[in-house]
Amino acid sequence: MRTFLQTLVAVLGAGGIGLLDAPWVTALSTSGMAALLSVLNAVVAAPIGTPNSPSVLRPRSRVGV
């Protein structure tokens, strides 16, 4: 939500335009894309797999071996 609002303010404020003359479709579209990229970045940066291992999969537990 923070990324969406920051981008929306940046797009609307960049042109120094009035609130009623703002390009709302462009601003909302750009803000939505920034929010989506922010979520994808968080998913990619999430810790998965075994720490200090190149594998993204955790090893299977060997019960009874």
Side-chain angles (χ1 to χ4, degrees), residues 3-4 6 13 15-16 27 30 38-39 41-42 45-46 51 55 64-65:
T3 301
F4 177 84
Q6 288 171 340
T30 304
S38 179
V39 169
N41 188 29
S55 178
V65 175

Side-chain angles (χ1 to χ4, degrees), residues 16-34:
I17 53 180
L19 189 60
L20 297 177
D21 298 326
W24 285 101
V25 174
T26 301
L28 292 173
S29 175
T30 304
S31 300
M33 182 57 74

Side-chain angles (χ1 to χ4, degrees), residues 6-63:
Q6 288 171 340
T7 306
L8 183 63
V9 169
V11 170
L12 292 177
I17 53 180
L19 189 60
L20 297 177
D21 298 326
W24 285 101
V25 174
T26 301
L28 292 173
S29 175
T30 304
S31 300
M33 182 57 74
L36 176 64
L37 291 175
S38 179
V39 169
L40 290 176
N41 188 29
V43 169
V44 170
I48 58 173
T50 305
N52 300 324
S53 170
S55 178
V56 296
L57 302 175
R58 293 185 188 267
R60 292 188 204 174
S61 63
R62 298 179 134 195
V63 179

